[in-house]
Amino acid sequence: MEWRAGGVPAVRQRLGSALFERVAGPERAANRARIHGTPGPRWFREDSPVRTVHGDASMFIGGLSALLLQSLHPLAMAAVAAHSGYKGDPWGRLQRTSTFLAMTTYGAAHDAQQAVDHVKNVHRKVKGRTREGTEYHAADPHLLTWVHVAEVDSFWRAHRRYGARPLTLREYDAYVAETARVATALGAFEPPRDRRELAERIDGYRHELRATPEAREASRFLLLRPPLPWAARAPYAVLAANAVALLPPWSRAPLGLPHLPVVERTGVRWAGHGLTRAIRWAMHP
C-alpha cells in the first residue's frame, strides 16, 4: 500500500524529469525560469494558437516528422550533414531547437529576438557545396522558407491528430500566420499565412525534392538507430511509426519508408494517442 500511495507520483516525477532533461538539456531550469519569469511583452498572447500547438506533447511526433520531410531538400540536407553534428550530438541539437522554439513562443520579446539573432549568426557561417558541386548557404531565404514550411506543416498536422484539444481549422490558419513572424525574423521569404498558402508553397518545392544518400542515412539514423537505452526503444518505435504516418504519402518512397494506410489509421494511430497521453501525463507537473 505504501508503494501504491507514493510510487505512482514518484514514477511520474522521474519520467517527467527524464523527458524534460532529454528535450531541454542541462540548462533547462535556468532557461525555463528565464522564458517564463522574465517580465515584459511577448511576441504572442497567452491564448494564441502557436502557444497551444507548441506546448502540446504532439510536438514529439511532429518534430520527428518535420526532420524527415526537411531532409528531402538536397541543399538543406547537405547543410545538416556537414555542419549540424546530428549523429555525434543528436540530443544537443534537439535541445537547442526546443529551447529556440520555447524562447520565441513564450519568452520575452527581447529574448526572442536575441534567440533569432543567434540563429542568424550561425546560419551565416553554414555554407558549402553538395557532393554534386551545388553551393548551399543556410542563410538563403529560399532554403529557410523550405525548412519553415516543412516544420509548420508537420506541427499543425500532428496537433490536429494527437493534440489534447485540437483547434478549429480557422485557428490552425492563425497558427500558420503566427509562425510566419518567427520565420520572417529568421530571413525566410514571404512565409505563408494560412493552410492554403502553406500547401501551395510545399507543392512549389516538390520539383526540388529528392532523397540523397545523406537523407536516407539520416532517416535510418532517426528511425532505426537512435542513441537510446533499451528501455526507451519501444516507446520511441511508436513515436517513429507515427512520425512516418504523418508524412505526405509522396514523401515516403524516396526515403524507402512504407505507406500502409489501414495499419496507420488503426494500430499505429491508436499507439500514437497512447504515447502522447503518457508524455502529457509524465510532464504535466
Side-chain angles (χ1 to χ4, degrees):
M1 294 296 292
E2 182 180 352
W3 183 89
R4 294 177 65 183
V8 172
V11 169
R12 186 181 192 183
Q13 183 177 11
R14 285 198 299 272
L15 286 174
S17 296
L19 279 169
F20 187 44
E21 181 179 5
R22 282 289 191 184
V23 173
E27 302 298 322
R28 57 195 178 279
N31 286 334
R32 181 167 57 181
R34 180 177 179 181
I35 290 167
H36 298 288
T38 302
R42 265 65 179 163
W43 280 0
F44 306 107
R45 65 184 188 277
E46 289 189 12
D47 62 344
S48 61
V50 70
R51 287 189 167 213
T52 300
V53 173
H54 290 178
D56 191 83
S58 60
M59 288 286 284
F60 283 81
I61 293 173
L64 181 55
S65 191
L67 291 176
L68 296 169
L69 185 57
Q70 288 166 346
S71 74
L72 285 173
H73 198 293
L75 302 185
M77 190 62 238
V80 169
H83 298 274
S84 76
Y86 75 92
K87 288 184 182 179
D89 186 24
W91 296 114
R93 185 166 187 256
L94 170 65
Q95 291 154 9
R96 290 187 293 273
T97 300
S98 66
T99 300
F100 175 82
L101 281 170
M103 192 68 74
T104 52
T105 303
Y106 306 101
H110 59 85
D111 284 336
Q113 185 61 54
Q114 188 176 64
V116 165
D117 292 341
H118 174 73
V119 171
K120 290 175 71 174
N121 286 333
V122 172
H123 285 169
R124 291 189 188 101
K125 302 171 187 175
V126 176
K127 57 181 68 177
R129 292 179 181 270
T130 66
R131 56 174 73 190
E132 292 85 9
T134 305
E135 292 186 354
Y136 63 80
H137 188 191
D140 176 8
H142 183 71
L143 206 55
L144 286 168
T145 305
W146 163 249
V147 171
H148 170 70
V149 297
E151 179 180 88
V152 170
D153 191 66
S154 301
F155 288 170
W156 88 260
R157 291 183 185 279
H159 189 270
R160 188 185 186 193
R161 183 174 296 179
Y162 303 103
R165 290 179 296 277
L167 304 176
T168 66
L169 294 181
R170 181 173 295 181
E171 288 173 318
Y172 285 124
D173 282 337
Y175 167 73
V176 175
E178 288 172 343
T179 61
R181 175 170 189 172
V182 181
T184 300
L186 284 169
F189 177 71
E190 296 182 357
R193 302 286 172 166
D194 58 30
R195 291 175 300 110
R196 179 187 60 80
E197 290 183 10
L198 179 62
E200 290 175 352
R201 191 66 65 88
I202 290 174
D203 283 342
Y205 277 93
R206 284 187 60 179
H207 72 283
E208 303 176 33
L209 307 180
R210 60 186 176 87
T212 60
E214 291 87 352
R216 287 189 288 269
E217 174 60 26
S219 69
R220 286 192 294 269
F221 178 81
L222 291 170
L223 299 174
L224 303 176
R225 301 196 299 270
L228 290 168
W230 283 106
R233 294 289 175 98
Y236 187 85
V238 173
L239 174 69
N242 281 273
V244 171
L246 194 68
L247 287 168
W250 54 261
S251 68
R252 303 188 197 185
L255 293 171
L257 301 176
H259 183 209
L260 305 170
V262 175
V263 175
E264 291 170 7
R265 285 195 301 268
T266 55
V268 170
R269 191 173 300 187
W270 175 84
H273 281 291
L275 178 65
T276 49
R277 282 194 293 267
I279 294 171
R280 213 172 278 124
W281 172 82
M283 297 193 72
H284 179 70

